[in-house]
């Protein structure tokens, strides 16, 4: 009955071929216009999971109290010296604040007036004691430099100290660090290499760490969602400002961008990096495979028009129903093209087989009558399977199920309406090539003759594959799906290694400051936790003791740092005199203290100063600029640090207070992980440890792990519902539970073998490649149904039939087309292409090598 109904439909489309083609063309044009004006892709992965899940509700509750901006760009500034980093961050922040249309907020993390002034209060008491003592010890240097911040002042500061050596007041060893630092900088300068002098390192003990030579700006940018890269304009502006300020590697400063807005822009750029060659390869591969399958340019054109028309209409329907695609549902394109090609090849190969002995019209009618039932059943089964995805809590796969289910019905309808109409309008010449695969006859006979033995092998393979499934892993870490070569991701990973800036933090909301402090103390004791921050960390302990130390240092150093008058800039002759004077004193110090640890540096520095004094004036000017570059900065920072005042809740900057205290009085507890931020096991342990004390905690580790669990659960649920729906449909349509199971059993085996292969080669499932599984599902069901339906009609030479040829070329076309994704520079896309290839290989192997012996063993018809 189905065959006759489709035959009449084909006959109608042949009779009114122009009308059918024109109607579909009009619908396609309308669809293209709608899609072009309404296309939207929501790449926010947080929207892929239902907001009704408990952990999503906790997330929403936290963000309602402490909003987290999505338009954030982090500007990471690394410099050779702490002074450079400080100057660069201040200059760039000032420049960005001058463009409020692009930058609504600019903050220096751990910097700005509050931190510059109160830095000595925010460290342990021991560090405050050490820092103030070293400042007082550097008074001789500071005095000369504050009164004369020039090369002459630098030389005078050394001369003052060396005079103390000559008089026996201090030892030359006490000058080891400043002498060594200046000597290294001048050596590099005179050798023609980039040279930088750190006054922080020269005056105080210890080497400045990365937290001193790195500054981070937190910038809220304007996003242009009409552009493919919404944050590109803001990012370009940041780089332009940095370049104009001389913040370049040539000047010893690097500026890198990361953060949500920048990551999205570079993610899109990575996805499109090899888009043209990959798209060209995909199209070329599809056309080549279509040529080998059909050997007719006209048939290929007919198939492509049918697929493209269906794709345009399905895209428009998807946008109308969903409003916007997400990163999962947009994969319907791959499903549509893959299954659309299959339907087109099935129709055209069957038509060519019928055409060998019939005219165009009769061949098309016979194709509709003969192929129609199996194609209908395959389309209904695939569509039912995809629509069964709808009840899952993973919105991404639910949306994919909706649009893919509709798309499968549409491509089925077009394959039996538009495609026959197009063939009627431009009929191809009869094919002279072999339609079937006669060379496969010996293999077909072997499979049927050894059917039972082969079933034992297939069963053992299935059991072995099933035994490997517990070792299958899902990689929920989104960083592993992104290219680590792009600046935003490499910078984020770099920041992740610093506990102060790890993106994989967790948060807990406590009802009050007191409750937050108590909770923080418990969480901080966990070995998986690097540190815990609350508002109380900005209200330091021991303030009275620290302020007393600072006041003492300020009283001693204030006249030194703020001289009544400063000297005018020196002339070149004055610089030469100061260089020679200091050189002579260095040699005298070496002669009086030849065994000093600083003797070698003092002697080498004396030679450098003589060489500089004997050089030309421009060289001395450049040397002076190099040696004094950070001098005003270090003096200014010392003055600021000595002007600290008590910190109270009232004196905290509003932005810091709001980060940790809500208007309702609720307090935030911010928790940092310990260990490798890219290691899933580390993140899992961190999440579990925090949850053991604060089950209501939210954050990136919770989102990643729970969403991964939700996604896997959604695909399992969708798979179960799909199998049940298809099994019921097949049982009803075929009138036999046995044939329904026979149609599904090979699909299950191919799925097991695919996943087992992933385990063996170490390929983890992830947010991207899991999309390949629905394609495996759809194509596998279709191929199985084709063979089962053909077997029921009495066909036994399946491998040498036109059907096997159609299946082989259909799988080959899909595999070569989408296998090109494997070569993408985007790790997620590449893994999707890899899994697609693996699944298609197993589908084809199972359909061709397992289905015939399975049918031979399990059906009475095979024994007759």
């Amino acid at each position: 009955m189905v065959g006759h109904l489709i035959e009449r439909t084909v006959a109608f489309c042949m009779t009114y071929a122009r009308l059918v083609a024109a109607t579909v063309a009009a619908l396609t044009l309308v669809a293209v216009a709608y899609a072009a004006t309404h296309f939207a892709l929501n790449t926010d992965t947080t929207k892929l999971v239902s907001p009704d899940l408990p952990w999503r509700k906790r997330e929403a509750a936290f963000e309602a109290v402490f909003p987290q901006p999505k338009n954030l760009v982090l500007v990471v500034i690394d410099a050779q010296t702490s002074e450079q980093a400080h100057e660069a961050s201040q200059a760039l922040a000032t420049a960005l604040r001058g463009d409020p249309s692009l930058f609504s907020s600019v903050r220096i993390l751990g910097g700005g007036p509050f931190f510059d002034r109160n830095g000595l209060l925010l460290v342990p008491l021991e560090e405050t004691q050490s820092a103030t003592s070293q400042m007082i010890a550097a008074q001789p240097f500071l005095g000369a430099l504050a009164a004369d911040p020039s090369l002459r002042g630098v030389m005078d500061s050394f001369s003052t100290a060396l005079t103390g050596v000559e008089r026996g007041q201090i030892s030359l060893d006490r000058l080891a660090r400043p002498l060594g630092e200046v000597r290294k900088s001048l050596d590099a300068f005179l050798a023609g290499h980039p040279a930088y002098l750190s006054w922080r390192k020269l005056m105080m003990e210890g080497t400045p760490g990365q937290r001193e030579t790195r500054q981070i700006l937190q910038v809220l940018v304007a996003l242009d969602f009409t552009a493919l890269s919404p944050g590109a304009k803001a990012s370009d502006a940041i780089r332009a400002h940095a370049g104009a300020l001389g913040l370049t590697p040539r000047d010893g400063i690097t500026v890198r961008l990361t953060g949500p807005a920048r990551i999205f822009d570079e993610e899109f750029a990575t996805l499109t990096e090899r888009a043209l060659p990959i798209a060209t390869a995909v199209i070329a591969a599809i056309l080549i495979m279509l040529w080998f399958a059909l050997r007719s340019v006209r048939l290929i054109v007919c198939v492509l028009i049918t697929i493209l028309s269906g794709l345009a209409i399905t895209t428009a329907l998807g946008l109308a129903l969903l409003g916007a695609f997400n990163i999962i549902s947009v994969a319907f394109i791959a499903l549509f093209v893959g299954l659309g090609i299959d339907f087109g090849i099935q129709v055209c190969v069957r038509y060519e087989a019928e055409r060998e002995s019939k005219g165009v019209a009769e061949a098309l009618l016979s194709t509709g009558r003969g192929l129609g039932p199996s194609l209908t059943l395959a389309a209904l089964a695939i569509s039912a399977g995809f629509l069964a995805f709808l009840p899952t809590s993973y919105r991404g796969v639910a949306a994919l199920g909706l649009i893919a289910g509709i798309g499968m019905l549409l491509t089925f309808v077009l394959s039996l309406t538009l495609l026959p109409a197009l063939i009627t309008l431009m009929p191809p010449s009869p094919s002279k090539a072999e339609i079937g695969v006669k060379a496969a006859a010996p293999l077909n006979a072997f499979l049927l003759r050894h059917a039972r033995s082969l079933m034992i092998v297939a069963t053992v393979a299935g059991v072995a594959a099933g035994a490997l499934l517990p070792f299958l892993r899902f990689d929920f870490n989104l960083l592993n799906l992104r290219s680590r070569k792009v600046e935003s991701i490499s910078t984020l990973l770099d920041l992740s290694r610093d506990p102060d800036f790890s993106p994989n933090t967790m948060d807990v909301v406590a009802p009050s400051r007191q409750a937050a402090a108590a909770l923080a103390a418990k969480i901080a004791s966990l070995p998986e936790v690097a540190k815990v921050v609350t508002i109380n960390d900005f209200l330091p302990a021991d303030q009275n003791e620290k302020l007393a130390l600072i006041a003492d240092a300020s009283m001693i150093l204030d006249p030194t740092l703020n001289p009544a008058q400063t000297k005018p800039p020196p002339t070149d002759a004055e610089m030469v005199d100061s260089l020679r004077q200091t050189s002579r004193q260095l040699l005298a110090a070496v002669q009086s203290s030849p065994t000093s640890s600083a003797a070698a540096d003092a002697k080498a520095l004396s030679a450098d100063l003589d060489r500089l004094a004997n050089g030309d004036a421009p060289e001395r000017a450049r040397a002076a600029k190099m040696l004094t570059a950070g001098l005003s900065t270090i003096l200014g920072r010392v003055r600021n640090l000595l002007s600290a005042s008590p910190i109270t809740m009232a004196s905290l900057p509003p932005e810091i207070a709001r980060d940790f205290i809500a208007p309702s009085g609720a307090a935030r507890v911010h928790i940092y992980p310990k260990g490798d931020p890219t290691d899933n096991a580390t993140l899992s342990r961190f999440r579990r440890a925090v949850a053991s004390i604060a089950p209501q905690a939210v954050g990136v580790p919770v989102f990643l792990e729970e969403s991964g669990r939700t996604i896997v659960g959604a695909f399992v649920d969708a798979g179960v519902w799909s199998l049940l729906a298809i099994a019921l449909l097949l049982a009803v349509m075929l009138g036999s539970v046995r044939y329904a199971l026979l149609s599904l059993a090979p699909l299950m085996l191919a799925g097991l073998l695919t996943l087992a292969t992933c385990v063996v080669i170490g390929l983890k499932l992830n947010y991207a490649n899991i999309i390949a599984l629905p394609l495996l599902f759809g194509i596998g069901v279709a191929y199985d149904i084709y063979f089962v339906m053909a077997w029921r009609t009495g066909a036994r030479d399946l491998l040498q039939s036109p059907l096997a040829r159609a299946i082989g070329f259909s799988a080959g076309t899909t595999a070569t087309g989408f296998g090109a994704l494997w070569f993408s520079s985007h790790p997620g896309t590449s893994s999707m292409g890899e899994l697609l290839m693996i699944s298609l290989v197993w589908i084809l192997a199972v359909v061709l090598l397992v289905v015939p012996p399975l049918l031979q063993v399990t059906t009475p018809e095979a024994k007759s």
Side-chain angles (χ1 to χ4, degrees):
M1 179 177 178
V2 173
H4 291 294
L5 177 61
I6 292 178
E7 182 181 9
R8 289 197 293 272
T9 301
V10 172
F12 175 86
C13 294
M14 291 166 54
T15 303
Y16 301 99
R18 294 183 183 278
L19 175 62
V20 171
T23 301
V24 175
L27 288 173
T28 302
L29 290 175
V30 171
V32 169
Y34 183 86
T37 55
H38 292 77
F39 187 84
L41 177 63
N42 187 347
T43 59
D44 188 351
T45 55
T46 64
K47 304 296 184 185
L48 296 178
V49 182
S50 170
D52 298 325
L53 294 170
W55 63 274
R56 289 302 309 277
K57 289 181 178 179
R58 293 197 299 270
E59 264 188 353
F62 171 76
E63 294 209 2
V65 181
F66 295 103
Q68 303 298 301
K70 301 294 189 295
N71 60 327
L72 174 67
V73 171
L74 294 177
V75 184
V76 181
I77 302 171
D78 288 294
Q80 297 294 321
T81 68
S82 57
E83 295 87 355
Q84 278 185 306
H86 186 268
E87 292 168 359
S89 64
Q90 296 289 342
L92 185 56
T94 300
L96 299 183
R97 290 184 185 120
D99 192 355
S101 63
L102 273 181
F103 311 109
S104 58
S105 172
V106 181
R107 292 172 59 182
I108 303 175
L109 296 182
F114 172 78
F115 290 98
D116 289 346
R117 187 176 61 256
N118 298 302
L120 292 179
L121 294 179
L122 296 170
V123 296
L125 179 60
E126 296 77 14
E127 291 187 29
T128 305
Q129 291 172 328
S130 174
T132 52
S133 297
Q134 291 181 62
M135 288 179 186
I136 294 172
Q139 185 181 22
F141 275 101
L142 292 173
L145 295 171
D148 187 4
S150 67
L151 177 61
R152 179 184 59 198
V154 174
M155 294 299 104
D156 287 350
S157 66
F158 274 114
S159 291
T160 300
L162 290 167
T163 299
V165 174
E166 291 173 10
R167 295 175 180 175
Q169 295 171 335
I170 62 172
S171 68
L172 185 59
D173 290 341
R174 293 250 329 250
L175 301 180
R177 185 171 64 251
L179 290 175
E181 292 301 316
V182 174
R183 192 268 305 166
K184 283 191 290 186
S185 297
L186 273 181
D187 280 353
F189 173 81
L190 294 172
H193 302 307
Y196 311 95
L197 178 64
S198 171
W199 283 95
R200 146 67 181 85
K201 188 176 180 181
L202 185 148
M203 292 183 181
M204 303 182 73
E205 294 177 358
T207 300
Q210 191 176 67
R211 295 182 189 181
E212 293 185 74
T213 59
R214 169 175 290 173
Q215 294 283 313
I216 300 176
L217 305 187
Q218 179 179 287
V219 186
L220 299 186
V221 304
L223 299 179
D224 179 10
F225 289 104
T226 63
L228 293 176
S229 298
K233 185 176 180 181
S235 297
D236 291 343
I238 293 172
R239 295 192 187 283
H241 282 299
L245 292 168
L247 309 184
T248 65
R250 184 180 60 186
D251 299 304
I253 300 171
T254 60
V255 176
R256 296 176 292 166
L257 308 184
T258 186
R262 188 57 189 158
I263 287 173
F264 170 78
D265 288 345
E266 290 198 331
E267 179 86 347
F268 180 80
T270 304
L271 286 168
T272 58
E273 183 177 334
R274 298 179 185 172
L276 182 59
I278 289 177
T280 302
V282 168
I283 293 172
I286 289 175
L287 290 176
I288 291 171
M289 293 303 294
L290 283 174
W291 170 256
F292 283 115
L294 306 178
R295 297 298 179 93
S296 168
V297 174
R298 293 190 178 187
L299 283 180
I300 292 173
V301 170
C302 292
V303 170
L304 292 178
I305 291 174
T306 302
I307 292 172
L308 294 176
S309 296
L311 183 59
I313 297 171
T314 303
T315 301
L317 285 173
L319 291 170
L321 292 172
L322 302 174
F325 295 121
N326 56 55
I327 60 173
I328 301 296
S329 63
V330 76
F332 86 90
I333 295 174
L335 299 175
F336 189 95
V337 173
L339 292 166
I341 285 176
D342 174 61
F343 286 4
I345 289 178
Q346 293 294 337
V347 170
C348 290
V349 170
R350 181 62 179 263
Y351 162 77
E352 287 186 310
E354 299 288 348
R355 186 76 173 85
E356 286 185 331
S357 58
K358 301 171 185 175
V360 173
E362 189 178 355
L364 283 172
L365 292 174
S366 296
T367 298
R369 182 172 59 251
L371 184 63
S374 59
L375 209 61
T376 302
L377 185 55
L380 291 175
I382 296 169
S383 184
F386 284 137
L387 293 174
F389 288 11
L390 288 175
T392 67
S393 56
Y394 185 33
R395 286 184 164 185
V397 75
L400 174 64
L402 174 64
I403 191 62
I406 294 173
M408 290 310 98
L409 294 177
L410 180 61
T411 192
F412 161 72
V413 170
L414 291 177
S415 295
L416 294 175
T417 55
L418 176 61
L419 186 53
L422 292 175
I423 293 175
T424 301
L425 292 175
M426 43 182 175
S429 302
S431 176
K432 297 180 181 179
E434 178 187 351
I435 303 302
V437 189
K438 294 180 180 178
L443 178 58
N444 192 88
F446 175 84
L447 294 177
L448 298 184
R449 187 165 59 250
H450 301 282
R452 293 189 181 278
S453 300
L454 291 172
M455 282 302 93
I456 294 173
V457 173
T459 303
V460 171
V463 171
L468 291 176
L469 291 190
F471 301 99
L472 184 66
R473 295 290 178 264
F474 187 90
D475 185 357
F476 57 79
N477 196 328
L478 290 173
L479 285 178
N480 295 335
L481 292 185
R482 291 170 169 144
S483 174
R484 302 190 179 196
K485 297 178 181 178
V486 300
E487 179 186 81
S488 59
I489 298 301
S490 63
T491 304
L492 185 64
L493 289 171
D494 188 16
L495 290 179
S496 298
R497 298 182 184 97
D498 185 340
D500 285 338
F501 299 108
S502 172
N504 297 320
T505 57
M506 293 179 68
D507 290 285
V508 183
V509 178
S512 64
R513 279 179 55 197
Q514 294 73 20
L519 182 60
K522 291 181 182 179
I523 295 175
S525 65
L526 296 170
E528 295 83 4
V529 172
K531 71 173 184 173
V532 182
V533 179
T534 69
I535 192 67
N536 292 334
D537 289 286
F538 298 94
L539 303 171
D542 304 318
Q543 288 199 56
N544 291 335
E545 293 87 342
K546 294 173 183 176
L547 286 169
L549 290 168
I550 293 170
D552 289 344
S554 178
M555 183 174 62
I556 296 171
L557 294 174
D558 182 68
T560 300
L561 292 170
N562 300 288
Q565 58 181 332
T566 58
K567 294 182 179 181
T571 64
D572 182 61
E574 289 173 326
M575 284 195 291
V576 171
D577 288 342
S578 64
L579 288 168
R580 287 176 174 162
Q581 171 66 23
T582 304
S583 175
R584 287 194 296 269
Q585 287 185 276
L586 285 168
L587 288 178
V590 171
Q591 291 172 1
S592 63
S593 306
T595 61
S596 169
S597 60
D601 281 331
K603 185 175 182 180
L605 179 58
S606 174
D608 286 343
L609 297 182
D610 283 339
R611 178 177 171 184
L612 199 57
N614 295 327
D616 55 33
E619 184 181 44
R620 279 189 293 275
R622 291 194 301 273
K625 182 179 180 181
M626 181 271 293
L627 289 174
T628 62
L631 188 53
S632 60
T633 298
I634 193 68
L635 292 172
R637 295 185 73 180
V638 171
R639 293 187 187 104
N640 282 331
L641 288 171
L642 295 179
S643 65
S645 58
I647 303 175
T648 64
M649 277 296 298
S651 68
L652 280 177
E655 64 271 16
I656 294 178
R658 183 61 185 90
D659 282 344
F660 289 91
I661 300 293
S664 64
R668 178 184 184 185
V669 180
H670 197 47
I671 311 156
Y672 290 82
K674 184 183 294 181
D676 183 358
T678 65
D679 180 53
N680 292 342
T682 298
L683 291 182
S684 293
R685 287 193 298 270
F686 171 60
R687 186 198 68 81
R688 288 195 301 270
V690 173
S692 68
I693 294 176
Q696 73 275 28
V698 299
V700 172
V702 176
F703 170 79
L704 292 176
E705 191 161 323
E706 291 293 344
S707 59
R709 186 176 293 115
T710 300
I711 291 170
V712 173
F715 271 92
V716 171
D717 291 345
V720 171
W721 285 112
S722 296
L723 285 174
L724 291 175
I726 292 174
L728 180 61
L729 177 66
L730 292 176
V732 171
M733 295 292 290
L734 296 175
S736 168
V737 174
R738 181 178 70 237
Y739 275 107
L741 295 176
L742 289 175
S743 298
L744 292 175
L747 174 64
M748 299 293 291
L749 177 60
L752 288 172
L753 292 171
T754 296
L755 297 178
T757 302
C758 291
V759 173
V760 172
I761 66 174
L763 177 63
K764 297 178 181 178
L765 296 183
N766 55 51
Y767 293 97
N769 64 24
I770 201 169
I771 300 169
L773 298 182
L775 181 61
L776 157 70
F777 178 86
I779 291 180
V781 166
Y783 292 173
D784 293 343
I785 288 174
Y786 297 152
F787 264 28
V788 169
M789 293 286 285
W791 187 273
R792 289 191 70 186
T793 61
R796 296 296 179 268
D797 52 349
L798 293 177
L799 294 193
Q800 63 259 45
S801 67
L803 175 61
R805 180 172 181 269
I807 288 176
F809 280 112
S810 171
T813 303
T814 305
T816 54
F818 294 105
L821 298 176
W822 199 343
F823 300 99
S824 170
S825 59
H826 185 268
T829 304
S830 177
S831 70
M832 181 166 63
E834 183 178 3
L835 187 54
L836 278 168
M837 285 294 291
I838 293 169
S839 64
L840 285 167
V841 167
W842 280 120
I843 287 171
L844 195 59
V846 169
V847 168
L848 297 180
L849 303 178
V850 176
V851 172
L854 174 65
L855 294 171
Q856 175 75 1
V857 169
T858 58
T859 57
E861 295 88 342
K863 300 175 183 179
S864 60

